[in-house]
């Protein structure tokens, strides 16, 4: 072959296997999304369309990769849990990481017009990603608890912050100053007293983030859906089961988006397969 | 903070710095592009629009990242050279790798309609990526020689293969059988004798691949190439200089796509900065 | 400082932390010990003095490093288990690996004259080492089962092999040929029929390898083992408690060498701290 | 095999190749040698026997490993340069690192009685080690310059410090205080004025450290150094050529210890093979 004398350069490609027996968490973060959300007029403090687009991309990714058993998203970030025994791409680090990051990005751009009709992308958005290895179930539980606690903290702050600005007529500097040093109960009180907002009645999508799992599909997707009557915390939307999932399973499984608590035991006890070997 | 008890999970995020003083090559490959090109009706053996779209994404990436000093593409792959002294993201492996992969993917999807008007994407395409560290200039020279030799081998084969099918009425099996065991000179001869195709007169984009560099911008794209007199094979297109590039440099630099030889010395001698420290 | 202009070379020293929450196993292997045992006249198939010297070095290492909770040795290799929560040297890979390897080597050479009086070392012996990360208890159980099963297989083979030579007058080639294709029961039978050797009555040190643990020290070494009534295979020797261990613990702990089974549950159930967090 | 069901634990042993085309520097450091030198009554500020023992271990290591082309030592540390094209143990990181560390340690303990007759080791000394990859010649030059500059700084300080104590009757606290804030010229002056010591006439072993190289062996060790006319600082000792080295080379090469400058060009120009490919 004409290129055989150069082929030695492949020797510089070193193996990069991830450790067997570990759970893998791949977390994606929007790159410079502060500017991106400004340029594209995202609603503050939360843009429902933008969050739904993130969820759509996450569901597409899980349809493509059965070894992703759980995802959690908030704002411009999404975390994906690969089951600990996954053999995806022989557990090659860069291969898994780039494929997940690239496909998620592609889905985000691909589906943009469905969520922002009439508002074309002004420039290509991107995400960075990392894979973290976790050796045991407790660390996984704590990882998702960490992200959901973060969601709560950020969303409560942002909800009051933007109420102060949008309804209270404050500048951003004033809003910041008002909130400095306040604890959760004070923020809740401020919301209720000044703006008649009961934080716990705001959208669970904003308060709890987006939990994506494969669940047994129900006949009536509307029942599963967030709007009433619902179990207070849990709100689910049904997506079409992926061809792969359908083929492999007897019961009809579908990728669902929930806005439920993942800090307590209930979520995990009801889904023992998430942490199984 | 409500999430502080979980924050220990960040300790599992290990540092992943790349070695200082090495050139970095990031190579992206289309994921399942055999199927993708079929589904989207790519012209065989080469689809000019698809190649131009790849080039566009590569140019966008180089506009965004000044430390990428050279790129080379063929078919559904593109390689990017980061200068050896780059401090991009403190040389963090996953950060550089995912940002490059994600932004390239995003640009590909974003610009698709410009190159395939009236033929919307049927599903989101994706790319995988890897970073390879090279300690010296010779290995970098050989890396790009390796890719361009590969371009030549593949393109010559594909050109005859598809001529046998499209003009010669062969089946794919027959075309394969006809080519088995032939050397380059025989393929050239076959092209000329049977199909009146002079291989050396086919598009340099197909034969040489796409070389992307920052050059001094000129009015006349043909002059942009610093190696006069131009060999006919070299075809350059001028893109608009990026705001960043404009800001940092005194002379107007622009990202150019060339279809020139990168195996010999000439290309590198004319651009000593590519391999500089 | 006169050396500050060169200090940048430290930037090439990259961090190498091991993953938190994993058990660490450090396995050392004698380097070219086939020749070493020949040159120093080791008894075949097992040299008790050489094994005791290995055990001595292992005990010294465990006296020095409290985070090593268990060791297992056979022939010229020894494996050390570090508890999963160890913070030894901030879990830096090379630091832990080289310190363990170096100190074990040093102890081996240092104590040589005690086990081989009148037979000075002819040249310096050495060991190579590696650290393997294991995410869960089952893998650790299986790791030590793997080594002990290996001990059994090798020792049974070697016992018959050398009986055939030493008592049976065979050449090594003949002995190999005699054993080719035989299973364990046939080897046991051969030992008993031809050489009146009941394999199960041979030294447990040879059959089971050497298990090193910290136990409550007692006057009577036989009592030291917490699994009454003692299976005859278990042989324990008490070493002096290290100053460090004495300082840190209320009860007097001592590092003990056992020759007991580590494949079944009993050993591990009696010592739950070995696999604790 | 009885152990085949456990053999999966080997899957946790991940590959760890070092990057091709890089120089490798392996640096060993004495572990807790402050205490070790006290316990063994090392002469202050430098113990010639201890340094010669270090040199002996380094020479033994280089006799064993032809791919180590250069070593530099000072105090209780030694750095070894492996040529950049080395294929030693397929460039496996842990294998190279532990073998070098273990063998050096073993040689140190093995040869101890030759340098400290009548003063047996009180406990086993040990070393830690690390391997650093360097992509180019300049970084290697600067690495060894860094170590030699460090030797100079430390030795000048220690020389005055111990003169103040041993000849000047100061306490260590007073000696420290006297030296705080002084620059090199002041220390030189202090040595000369108070103690009649001309620093440049003290032993080159102390001032320059120990440089170990393979050179053409000659009858007269003074001639061994290829840089005529010899500056008085350079002191060379010839060791017996290793059997391996003799076998591979036509001219008789021997491992030599020099105490010469490695910061300037002369040393490297005279030995171009050290940095060759």
């Amino acid at each position: 072959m004409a290129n055989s004398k150069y082929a030695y350069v492949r020797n510089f490609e070193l193996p990069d296997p991830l450790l067997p027996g570990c759970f893998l968490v791949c977390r994606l973060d929007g790159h410079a999304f502060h500017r991106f959300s400004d340029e594209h007029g995202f609603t503050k403090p939360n843009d429902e369309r933008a969050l739904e687009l993130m969820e759509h991309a996450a569901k597409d990714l899980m349809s493509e990769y059965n070894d992703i058993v759980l995802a959690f998203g908030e704002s411009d970030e999404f975390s994906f849990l690969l089951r600990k025994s996954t053999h995806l791409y022989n557990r090659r680090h860069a291969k898994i990481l780039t494929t997940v990051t690239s496909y998620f990005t592609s889905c985000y751009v691909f589906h943009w017009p469905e969520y922002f009709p009439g508002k074309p992308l002004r420039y290509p958005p991107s995400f960075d990603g990392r894979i973290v290895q976790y050796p045991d179930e407790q660390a996984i539980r704590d990882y998702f608890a960490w992200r959901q606690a973060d969601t709560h903290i950020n969303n409560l702050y942002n909800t009051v912050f933007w109420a102060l600005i949008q309804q209270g007529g404050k500048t951003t500097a004033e809003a910041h100053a008002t909130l400095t040093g306040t604890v959760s109960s004070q923020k809740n009180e401020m919301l209720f007293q000044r703006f008649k907002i009961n934080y716990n009645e705001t959208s669970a999508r904003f308060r709890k983030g987006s939990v994506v799992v494969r669940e047994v599909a129900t006949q009536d997707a509307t029942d599963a859906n967030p709007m009433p009557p619902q179990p207070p915390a849990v709100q689910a939307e049904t997506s079409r089961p992926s061809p792969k999932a359908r083929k492999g399973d007897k019961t009809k499984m579908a990728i669902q988006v929930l806005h439920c608590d993942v800090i307590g035991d209930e979520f995990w006890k009801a889904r023992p397969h998430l942490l199984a070997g």
Side-chain angles (χ1 to χ4, degrees), chain A:
Chain A
M1 291 284 250
N3 64 352
S4 60
K5 66 188 267 202
Y6 304 122
Y8 80 92
V9 297
R10 294 216 70 176
N11 297 335
F12 291 79
E13 298 179 14
L14 304 182
D16 65 345
L18 293 160
L19 193 62
C22 285
F23 296 96
L24 308 179
V25 172
C26 180
R27 182 169 76 248
L28 307 181
D29 279 281
H31 180 73
F33 258 52
H34 190 85
R35 180 191 156 208
F36 182 79
S37 61
D38 283 349
E39 292 259 6
H40 293 84
F42 282 14
T43 305
K44 300 291 182 180
N46 294 286
D47 189 302
E48 190 120 29
R49 302 157 302 171
L51 294 175
E52 285 174 341
L53 172 54
M54 290 289 285
E55 292 167 3
H56 196 143
K59 286 192 287 183
D60 277 7
L61 187 60
M62 289 179 67
S63 292
E64 206 57 27
Y65 294 99
N66 271 319
D67 281 1
I68 301 177
V69 294
L70 171 66
F72 178 83
E74 62 164 314
S75 183
D76 63 343
E77 77 163 51
F78 239 104
S79 297
F80 298 94
L81 172 64
L82 285 88
R83 61 193 183 83
K84 75 174 174 179
S85 61
T86 184
H87 283 92
L88 182 63
Y89 302 131
N90 282 324
R91 298 180 79 91
R92 282 186 291 146
H93 190 161
K95 181 81 174 180
I96 297 173
L97 175 57
T98 54
T99 309
V100 164
T101 306
S102 177
Y103 190 63
F104 185 91
T105 305
S106 191
C107 292
Y108 190 93
V109 180
F110 182 84
H111 294 299
W112 173 272
E114 302 164 38
Y115 294 87
F116 291 91
K119 182 175 283 200
L121 277 170
R122 301 180 61 167
Y123 61 85
S126 62
F127 296 84
D128 65 44
R130 79 187 65 204
I131 287 177
V132 189
Q133 304 176 92
Y134 288 103
D136 58 52
E137 302 174 13
Q138 189 57 51
I140 291 297
R141 287 279 310 263
D142 288 345
Y143 176 84
F144 285 97
W146 175 55
R147 298 324 300 145
Q148 192 165 61
D150 185 75
T151 304
H152 170 71
I153 291 165
N154 290 336
N155 187 60
L156 177 56
Y157 185 95
N158 291 336
T159 303
V160 197
F161 181 79
W162 287 101
L164 287 165
I165 291 165
Q166 292 165 350
Q167 299 171 246
K170 302 277 189 191
T171 65
T172 56
E174 289 165 349
H176 272 303
T178 303
L179 289 172
T180 299
T182 59
V183 296
S184 287
S185 57
Q186 294 170 304
K187 294 194 189 77
N188 269 300
E189 193 63 16
M190 206 183 287
L191 270 179
F192 193 70
Q193 295 295 345
R194 296 201 200 174
F195 307 111
K196 304 303 166 207
I197 296 172
N198 183 336
Y199 182 71
N200 287 325
E201 286 172 4
T202 62
S203 166
R205 172 175 277 124
F206 304 158
R207 286 182 293 111
K208 298 293 184 186
S210 304
V211 179
V212 194
V213 283
R214 270 181 209 84
E215 308 269 284
V216 176
T218 55
Q219 287 308 94
D220 187 351
T222 331
D223 288 348
N225 196 296
M227 306 317 120
Q230 42 190 291
V234 182
Q235 300 168 350
E237 300 115 66
T238 306
S239 76
R240 290 227 308 281
S242 74
K244 282 180 190 167
R246 206 160 22 192
K247 197 166 49 189
D249 296 304
K250 285 200 176 150
T251 51
K252 240 180 164 176
M253 297 293 280
I255 295 167
Q256 311 260 346
V257 179
L258 313 175
H259 306 294
C260 64
D261 176 80
V262 298
I263 297 179
D265 290 340
E266 195 180 11
F267 174 82
W268 301 93
K269 281 193 174 150
R271 297 166 185 84
H273 62 282
L274 296 182
L275 299 177

